[in-house]
Amino acid sequence: MVDLGSLIWHASMSMLTTAAPVCEPAGTIQPSMFNPAGAPAATILGITWLLFVITGAIAIVVLSLIAYAAIRCRRKDGDDLEPAQVYGSNPIELAWTVIPLLIVFLLFMISARGIFDLERTTPPEGSLEVSVTGHRWWWEFDYGDLGIVTAGELHVPIDDGKPADLFLTLHSADVAHSFWVPQLGGKMDVIPDRINHLWLQANAPATYVGQCAEYCGTQHAKMLIRVVVEPRADFEAWVANQQKDAVAADAAVKEGHDLFLRTSCINCHTVRGTVANGSFAPDLTHIMSRDTIGSGAAPNNPKTLRQWVFDPQNIKPGCDMPSMKLSRHEVDLVCAYLETLK
Ligand code: CUA
């Protein structure tokens, strides 16, 4: 569905990004707060529409009265230069004090109830709990007891006929970010030295796209989020795969594997089961299970992977990953190895 929200989103994304947008697989829902997929987002949209209707009605009444006065009460030939001066009217003054007070009080009560519904410091029953770390410019997702650490993409199980609840604990490794997946809930600041929580909910399986919503530097626009809500069996298969160490390099990719482990890639990236155990950058143990590279900067396919390894600064200028000055042949070798990390 194309609506105002997704139009604004696409317009701002195309202004902010220079590379071609990620070609989305079927079942991906583009972000729009006007198309909620769960209770928290629906609550926010309900309040938004209510405020819009009430403030819109006030605007219509006020603007109509101004237009009426301007047309009907124009000075005509022969009128005095100064109109009749009227001082004080208790009924009018009472009306324009009490009515706005009642309206503001009503809006306050509705907003407060919405905030209390959405703000949670403890997870709803049966929710998946994930710890989120905002980095310039990517998201790290730690599944705690499940022993999974991944980047850019969250997987969430959903059971038939029940909404999927997701409870996030958010912190930042550097500057202030904001976590926002419009279909699934509100926006939450991700701030250094502070822990925030966010409750998200999805009613149906799909991939929901979101975005860092607090300007955090050069690549703020390419700090994207993907939430893959999938049937429980698919989720369990995903978990089982993510929990495994990286596959051992076979003879065909041995050269690329050795080259990868000799470069300084391993100071920042982890590939579980090898000596690569850096923690500054996304875990690559199962990099090929992800739809995108660079937290949504490019689709994950053999061509973009090679472009990325050859010169990440070309795809995501300013990101922490430098060009390793590998030759084209060396890039091919390393990528052939990375492509086995499914
Ligand atoms: Cu992170 Cu904007």
Side-chain angles (χ1 to χ4, degrees), residues 66-84:
I66 290 173
Y68 174 81
I71 295 163
R72 191 62 204 277
C73 309
R74 285 174 76 89
R75 186 163 69 89
K76 297 178 194 76
D77 286 344
D79 281 358
D80 283 341
L81 276 181
E82 199 176 353

Side-chain angles (χ1 to χ4, degrees), residues 317-338:
C319 74
D320 278 346
M321 179 163 159
S323 165
M324 304 311 293
K325 308 288 181 212
L326 300 175
S327 70
R328 289 281 180 186
H329 177 61
E330 289 169 327
V331 168
D332 278 338
L333 291 174
V334 167
C335 289
Y337 167 60
L338 292 178

Side-chain angles (χ1 to χ4, degrees), residues 14-241:
S14 55
M15 279 188 284
L16 291 171
T17 56
T18 49
V22 172
C23 189
E24 296 292 357
T28 303
I29 295 186
Q30 290 301 322
S32 163
M33 67 160 289
F34 295 101
N35 180 21
T43 301
I44 293 169
L45 182 61
I47 295 174
T48 305
W49 279 125
L50 191 74
L51 294 193
F52 180 75
V53 167
I54 292 176
T55 52
I58 294 171
I60 288 170
V61 169
V62 171
L63 293 174
S64 306
L65 288 174
I66 290 173
Y68 174 81
I71 295 163
R72 191 62 204 277
C73 309
R74 285 174 76 89
R75 186 163 69 89
K76 297 178 194 76
D77 286 344
D79 281 358
D80 283 341
L81 276 181
E82 199 176 353
Q85 301 296 302
V86 181
Y87 294 98
S89 164
N90 283 342
I92 291 179
E93 285 180 17
L94 210 61
W96 72 39
T97 307
V98 172
I99 294 174
L101 260 179
L102 285 176
I103 294 172
V104 169
F105 182 70
L106 178 76
L107 297 182
F108 169 78
M109 294 302 281
I110 291 165
S111 309
R113 196 182 65 181
I115 289 170
F116 280 110
D117 280 351
L118 299 179
E119 287 254 304
R120 283 169 183 263
T121 49
T122 52
E125 184 144 332
S127 59
L128 176 73
E129 292 178 55
V130 179
S131 171
V132 179
T133 307
H135 297 262
R136 282 187 300 175
W137 290 281
W138 58 283
W139 300 99
E140 182 175 346
F141 301 121
D142 186 335
Y143 284 69
D145 292 345
L146 289 177
I148 298 169
V149 178
T150 181
E153 297 177 15
L154 258 170
H155 284 245
V156 184
I158 186 165
D159 294 312
D160 271 350
K162 274 205 287 186
D165 285 305
L166 178 61
F167 187 72
L168 303 178
T169 300
L170 305 136
H171 29 82
S172 170
D174 37 50
V175 301
H177 305 274
S178 179
F179 192 94
W180 193 31
V181 183
Q183 258 90 9
L184 304 186
K187 223 182 253 179
M188 184 53 75
D189 283 341
V190 181
I191 299 171
D193 296 327
R194 195 193 150 93
I195 288 177
N196 282 341
H197 296 288
L198 179 63
W199 167 47
L200 301 178
Q201 192 185 67
N203 287 328
T207 298
Y208 301 92
V209 182
Q211 155 85 57
C212 176
E214 174 104 29
Y215 183 69
C216 53
T218 320
Q219 288 301 335
H220 157 71
K222 285 187 194 158
M223 189 166 168
L224 303 172
I225 304 157
R226 303 172 76 77
V227 182
V228 181
V229 179
E230 57 195 357
R232 189 166 290 277
D234 294 355
F235 174 75
E236 274 162 11
W238 177 82
V239 167
N241 184 56

Side-chain angles (χ1 to χ4, degrees), residues 298-323:
N300 187 5
N301 62 44
K303 187 170 162 228
T304 52
L305 186 63
R306 276 159 182 74
Q307 289 170 341
W308 178 262
V309 172
F310 183 69
D311 186 11
Q313 297 298 317
N314 191 35
I315 294 178
K316 200 166 178 176
C319 74
D320 278 346
M321 179 163 159
S323 165

